Each structure stands twice: as structure tokens, then as C-alpha cells.
């Protein structure tokens, strides 16, 4: 009995100082200066967005009335790569991902949606893949409530399907959602991923989708 109590107290102390920021959602240790610094950076970017002032050499691959899409490739100048890293850090913090190293870093294509007020408001990171596992449709009935809670445990088919392009990240700035920015990013990706062809929706795959990601992907692939 005594040892049990002791264990509980120990577990509590390990979590001592863990804070969840009410505005940006980041979980960090307030007593750890490095963590705190990372939080301050994330907090600011989460609320303000990431500025994009324009580059001398930029690859504009689509233009719209409310912005444009810029493509960044692995061997682009360091200012472009640094911008992509900043955006990816924001996205990963928001998604709770921890530094996932891309399988073929020299084949990654990053599409940034730049708003007309010069901010990066959307990001899509894609890489070539050979196969994917289709997410099976969600169970219906009483079970579906629990599937909402463990939100990343989608049931996947164990039969691999051929695919060409994997979307490892798709993200839109929180204040700009539901304005078809994600849709336009995927349209542009399908057009630009392989030279001279427009990818079908069954040739692209979303990796480890979040609930938002899954709702978007389902809608996008059916229309
Ligand atoms: N709930 C329900 N339907 C949705 C949602 C949602 N949250 N998001 C998109 N859709 C559907 C809608 O039908 C929408 O059309 P409508 O607005 O005309 O009804 C359609 O998808 C197209 O949506 P867009 O406006 O193009 O999507 P948006 O620009 O808002 O971006 C995204 C969607 C990227 C999922 C955004 O919500 C986001 O950044 N979320 C947080 C980050 C995230 O979870 N990203 C996915 C991670 S998975 C991965 O990276 C592989
Ligand atoms: Zn915060």
C-alpha cells in the first residue's frame, strides 16, 4: 500500500511545472528556459502568423485574387529553406508532431500559400511515395464516439495501394480556414508534383491525418 502511494507522488512530481498555454495550446515546462523560449516563439507565430516579404527569386506556381502559391525546392537559397523551416516548426508544434525526418529530403516539395497581406497562411509538404494504406470508413453506431477520442487511431487497410505522392503536412493559418486555401494547395500540388501530368486523387495520400485533415481529405477526394 505504501509503495503505491509513493509511486503516485513520484508521477506527480515528474509533471510538475507542465503548463498548457490557453491561447496557443502549446504544452511546455515553464521552469525550463529552453522550453519557455520555444513557447514564446510558437505563441507569437501562432497568433500573428509568419511574415513573407517576398524573394528576389521566387517560384510562383499559382495566383489568386487573395494570394499566391510559392513552391520551394530542397536546393533553393537558404532564405527560402529557413522560411520553410519556420513554417514547419509552427505546424509541427500545432499538430503536436515531433521532428519527423522526411524519407527523401532532396525530393520534398513545399508549397506556401502567401496572402495578399504578405503572410504565410498555408503550407503543404509533399514527398514521393510508392504505396499507401487506405483509411477504412469509420465505424458507425455506439463505437464512433470512442473513435473521436483516440483521434489518430484510424483503422487502416493492411493491403497496400500504389500511390505516387504523400502529403506529410497540410496546414492553414487558423484565421484563414474554410476559404478553400487547402483545396487550392492540393490542386496546385497535383498539377506540379510530376512534370506534365495532373495526379488523380487516388495517387495522393495523406499521412497520419488529424480529424481536421481527415474531414478535408474526405471532402476533397469525393469532389
Ligand atoms: N470540418 C469539416 N469539413 C472541413 C474541415 C473541417 N474542419 N476542413 C475542411 N473541410 C471540408 C469542407 O467541406 C470544405 O469545404 P467548404 O468550406 O466549402 O464546406 C473542404 O473541406 C475544403 O476546405 P478548405 O477550405 O480548402 O480547407 P482549409 O483551407 O480550411 O484547410 C485544414 C483545411 C488544412 C485541414 C485546416 O483545417 C488546418 O490547417 N487544420 C489544422 C492542421 C491540420 O490538422 N492539418 C491536417 C494534418 S494531417 C496531414 O498533415 C497529412
Ligand atoms: Zn502560448
Amino acid at each position: 500500500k505504501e509503495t503505491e502511494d509513493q509511486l503516485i507522488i513520484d508521477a506527480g512530481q515528474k509533471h510538475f511545472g507542465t503548463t498548457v498555454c490557453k491561447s496557443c495550446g502549446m504544452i511546455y515546462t515553464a521552469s525550463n528556459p529552453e522550453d519557455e523560449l520555444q513557447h514564446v516563439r510558437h505563441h507569437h507565430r501562432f497568433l500573428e502568423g509568419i511574415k513573407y516579404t517576398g524573394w528576389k527569386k521566387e517560384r510562383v506556381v499559382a495566383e489568386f485574387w487573395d494570394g499566391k502559391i510559392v513552391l520551394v525546392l530542397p536546393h533553393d537559397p537558404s532564405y527560402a529553406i529557413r522560411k520553410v523551416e519556420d513554417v514547419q516548426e509552427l505546424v509541427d508544434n500545432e499538430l503536436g508532431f515531433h521532428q519527423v525526418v522526411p524519407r527523401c529530403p532532396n525530393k520534398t516539395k513545399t508549397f506556401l500559400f502567401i496572402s495578399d497581406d504578405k503572410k504565410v497562411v498555408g503550407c503543404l509538404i509533399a514527398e514521393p511515395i510508392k504505396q499507401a494504406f487506405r483509411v477504412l470508413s469509420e465505424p458507425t453506431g455506439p463505437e464512433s464516439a470512442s473513435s473521436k477520442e483516440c483521434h489518430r487511431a484510424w483503422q487502416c487497410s493492411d493491403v497496400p495501394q500504389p500511390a505516387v505522392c504523400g502529403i506529410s503536412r497540410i496546414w492553414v493559418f487558423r484565421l484563414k480556414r474554410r476559404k478553400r486555401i487547402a483545396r487550392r494547395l492540393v490542386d496546385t500540388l497535383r498539377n506540379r508534383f510530376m512534370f506534365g501530368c495532373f495526379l488523380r486523387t487516388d495517387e495522393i495520400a495523406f499521412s497520419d491525418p488529424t480529424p481536421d485533415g481527415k474531414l478535408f481529405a474526405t471532402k476533397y477526394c469525393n469532389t
Side-chain angles (χ1 to χ4, degrees):
K1 185 100 215 288
E2 248 177 54
T3 43
E4 231 173 72
D5 285 348
Q6 192 56 50
L7 277 176
I8 291 163
I9 292 165
D10 280 345
Q13 282 168 334
K14 276 203 189 104
H15 292 284
F16 182 76
T18 300
T19 313
V20 183
C21 176
K22 283 201 183 76
S23 352
C24 77
M26 186 158 165
I27 304 166
Y28 64 101
T29 312
S31 55
N32 176 335
E34 209 177 293
D35 245 33
E36 225 168 335
L37 191 71
Q38 210 196 345
H39 168 239
V40 169
R41 263 182 21 187
H42 176 70
H43 190 95
H44 183 77
R45 286 170 179 168
F46 180 87
L47 296 178
E48 303 293 323
I50 292 179
K51 278 206 193 75
Y52 175 96
T53 44
W55 299 328
K56 251 187 255 153
K57 276 170 69 184
E58 59 179 21
R59 210 177 281 105
V60 178
V61 289
E63 277 184 286
F64 305 99
W65 61 276
D66 57 345
K68 63 184 174 190
I69 296 177
V70 171
L71 169 62
V72 180
L73 298 176
H75 300 295
D76 280 355
S78 56
Y79 52 78
I81 302 296
R82 226 176 299 128
K83 187 62 72 177
V84 166
E85 284 169 358
D86 282 357
V87 177
Q88 192 174 346
E89 190 182 332
L90 170 66
V91 175
D92 285 357
N93 278 333
E94 204 176 317
L95 293 178
F97 283 2
H98 291 285
Q99 286 295 283
V100 185
V101 183
R103 274 170 290 248
C104 324
N106 60 342
K107 288 185 180 153
T108 304
K109 290 188 165 71
T110 305
F111 297 83
L112 300 177
F113 194 109
I114 312 296
S115 64
D116 45 11
D117 57 352
K118 294 186 163 47
K119 282 183 179 174
V120 180
V121 294
C123 171
L124 187 162
I125 304 178
E127 56 190 2
I129 54 167
K130 294 216 163 59
Q131 59 180 39
F133 299 89
R134 211 148 289 283
V135 175
L136 300 175
S137 55
E138 240 168 299
T140 44
E143 272 170 282
S144 54
S146 64
S147 74
K148 250 186 205 142
E149 280 156 32
C150 49
H151 44 258
R152 284 219 190 131
W154 315 118
Q155 279 220 47
C156 282
S157 149
D158 43 18
V159 185
Q161 311 261 333
V164 175
C165 170
I167 297 180
S168 75
R169 301 282 191 292
I170 183 158
W171 165 89
V172 171
F173 185 58
R174 74 202 155 88
L175 300 176
K176 299 281 184 176
R177 288 182 191 161
R178 304 302 285 270
K179 295 180 191 300
R180 315 218 137 200
I181 290 177
R183 180 180 283 280
R184 287 180 275 171
L185 280 165
V186 181
D187 286 343
T188 307
L189 162 77
R190 289 168 67 193
N191 197 6
R192 278 288 174 155
F193 192 71
M194 263 169 44
F195 183 76
C197 70
F198 189 70
L199 294 179
R200 295 189 310 267
T201 53
D202 67 339
E203 290 172 317
I204 55 175
F206 293 79
S207 74
D208 192 16
T210 57
D212 274 353
K214 197 171 173 252
L215 286 165
F216 167 73
T218 309
K219 179 73 183 179
Y220 183 88
C221 294
N222 289 338
T223 48

